[in-house]
Amino acid sequence: MWWTILVALPASVAPAASLPAPFALQQEEVAELAGKLRNPKLTLDERVAIEERMLLFGESGARVLQRIVEERVKKCDERARKSEKAYLAELDKAAKKLVNARLDKAALAEVETLRKQVNDLRRDEKLSKERIHAEGDPAREKLRALLEVNADQVLESAPELSKLRESISADLYELEQDFGLWLRCNFAIPEKKRSKAVDDPLGRWPSFESAELWTCLLATPMTPADREVLTRNRGLAAELPEPEEAAGVLDLNRLRILLGLNALALDVKLCAASRDHSNDMRTLGFFAHESPVEGKKTPWDRAARFGTTGGAENIAAGHESGASANLGWWYSPGHHKNMLGGHARVGLGRSEAFWTQMFG
């Protein structure tokens, strides 16, 4: 009890020199431990032992330790951001170099042949699921092998990037550990006095793997207009309440770019109309393009209600991701033709396992 009261007193009332000996000794030891903790030559085990010792001193130890951890988080975060920027720039160069190395004259001719094969297939009035499996799938996979790259393939072609990637992974791990320690310090401090100086550093980062995927995706040969559409869509993704909707739109655009078709602009209003129809199908117990809800009968009606226009529509049920819904539509002739049609915009809306895809 006496210790708590003394900690709460302002310095002018209870100067450090007049504090009871046990408390003063605690403060001295905390200061000594803090000095040791700033030694860059400490092993991990030594550092952890010192940190745990400081936490045994309660609020006084936690406050000092927390300030040290805040400094570490800031430095590590800055270093990791700088490394990530450099890594992604080099990954971009290496990915484009790898794709270009594949595309000699014969490979470029093969790309054109494969694209024509799939696009002729979708125009065929006799298109069937069996033909999509037999002719569309092999062509799609060959195009992926020629035109797309992933981070593992790029790192294999440019092994010097692996060390930089490993250092970023180590920094991310260190940030995670230090933020956990910072939270432990905060919990050792009375709630009203807790610090708010540090946000979760990992929460401020876009996913590192997502950044790698995006960099490799943009290495795929495409027109400047397609690259601009993809970039704009990525910015609009934050406006969608369901991340899988944006992921599904990106998955569709990857397919269209492989086939030499234009990328579709993400229409947030079409997404809202699609999501609304998916929710109606789920909650009202129907599965159809024609809705029983007044004012929502057709896709055109539904698009208009959300302030946009729409034409073709795909619906699906039983899928957990946008990519899964797209794959289901790929094997359905009518939906397949919609996905690869001459559209400019797209919206994708989810309600649990129900999906609606609208084109404009």
Side-chain angles (χ1 to χ4, degrees):
M1 178 68 73
W2 59 266
W3 182 81
T4 303
I5 293 171
L6 285 173
V7 170
L9 289 174
S12 60
V13 176
S18 65
L19 291 176
F23 187 86
L25 290 174
Q26 284 184 13
Q27 295 296 84
E28 287 180 11
E29 184 169 352
V30 167
E32 182 181 351
L33 291 170
K36 291 180 179 179
L37 198 54
R38 296 180 189 278
N39 181 358
K41 296 182 179 180
L42 285 177
T43 66
L44 179 60
D45 287 343
E46 289 171 337
R47 193 181 82 179
V48 170
I50 293 172
E51 291 166 351
E52 294 299 325
R53 175 65 181 167
M54 291 181 75
L55 286 172
L56 291 177
F57 289 100
E59 181 181 352
S60 59
R63 282 191 178 282
V64 175
L65 177 58
Q66 191 175 58
R67 286 194 293 271
I68 294 172
V69 173
E70 285 175 3
E71 292 172 9
R72 288 207 311 240
V73 166
K74 183 179 179 181
K75 289 180 182 178
C76 187
D77 193 28
E78 290 174 351
R79 181 175 68 246
R81 287 177 187 273
K82 184 177 179 180
S83 297
E84 184 199 32
K85 184 178 180 180
Y87 168 74
L88 292 177
E90 292 303 314
L91 183 70
D92 176 64
K93 293 178 186 177
K96 289 174 180 175
K97 183 178 179 180
L98 178 58
V99 172
N100 289 335
R102 294 175 180 173
L103 297 179
D104 57 19
K105 188 175 180 180
L108 288 170
E110 185 179 9
V111 167
E112 292 306 310
T113 299
L114 292 168
R115 284 175 168 176
K116 184 177 186 304
Q117 180 181 331
V118 179
N119 286 310
D120 286 348
L121 189 65
R122 70 180 170 87
R123 298 187 186 99
D124 194 329
E125 293 182 359
K126 297 180 180 180
L127 179 63
S128 65
K129 180 178 180 179
E130 289 71 27
R131 291 190 63 198
I132 295 172
H133 273 288
E135 301 172 45
D137 280 358
R140 180 177 176 171
E141 291 310 308
K142 287 179 183 178
L143 284 168
R144 278 182 171 163
L146 286 167
L147 299 176
E148 290 189 345
V149 294
N150 59 47
D152 289 340
Q153 291 170 332
V154 178
L155 291 173
E156 186 177 349
S157 72
E160 67 278 5
L161 287 178
S162 296
K163 288 185 178 180
L164 185 53
R165 190 185 193 281
E166 288 170 5
S167 72
I168 295 169
S169 297
D171 283 338
L172 288 173
Y173 179 76
E174 185 177 334
L175 279 169
E176 183 179 10
Q177 298 302 305
D178 274 346
F179 184 67
L181 178 59
W182 185 89
L183 288 175
R184 287 181 64 195
C185 292
N186 231 21
F187 288 133
I189 298 169
E191 187 171 357
K192 291 183 179 180
K193 300 180 182 179
R194 287 177 184 170
S195 173
K196 296 181 181 179
V198 172
D199 296 322
D200 184 347
L202 297 182
R204 297 199 309 271
W205 276 56
S207 165
F208 179 53
E209 289 185 354
S210 176
E212 282 186 315
L213 287 171
W214 180 254
T215 301
C216 290
L217 169 63
L218 291 186
T220 305
M222 66 182 78
T223 67
D226 288 335
R227 187 169 281 104
E228 184 179 342
V229 168
L230 293 184
T231 302
R232 191 183 309 119
N233 287 356
R234 194 184 191 205
L236 290 170
E239 298 182 26
L240 303 180
E242 169 55 64
E244 272 301 319
E245 293 173 355
V249 169
L250 178 59
D251 178 72
L252 172 60
N253 274 331
R254 289 180 65 182
L255 171 61
R256 289 179 63 92
I257 288 169
L258 275 182
L259 300 179
L261 303 173
N262 65 290
L264 302 180
L266 189 154
D267 185 333
V268 174
K269 293 179 179 178
L270 269 184
C271 287
S274 298
R275 191 181 311 116
D276 186 64
H277 186 57
S278 295
N279 189 61
D280 284 347
M281 289 192 294
R282 179 180 66 83
T283 58
L284 301 179
F286 73 96
F287 185 72
H289 294 288
E290 186 170 307
S291 173
V293 181
E294 185 177 352
K296 301 182 185 180
K297 184 176 181 180
T298 68
W300 299 270
D301 295 332
R302 296 191 284 274
R305 282 175 64 91
F306 285 87
T308 187
T309 58
E313 180 183 78
N314 291 340
I315 58 174
H319 297 279
E320 293 301 316
S321 70
S324 175
N326 284 334
L327 189 60
W329 289 321
W330 165 261
Y331 291 116
S332 173
H335 299 100
H336 180 104
K337 292 181 178 184
N338 282 344
M339 291 171 67
L340 305 184
H343 316 294
R345 295 172 292 114
V346 65
L348 183 64
R350 175 188 192 179
S351 180
E352 295 184 5
F354 286 79
W355 298 83
T356 302
Q357 188 177 55
M358 298 179 72
F359 300 93

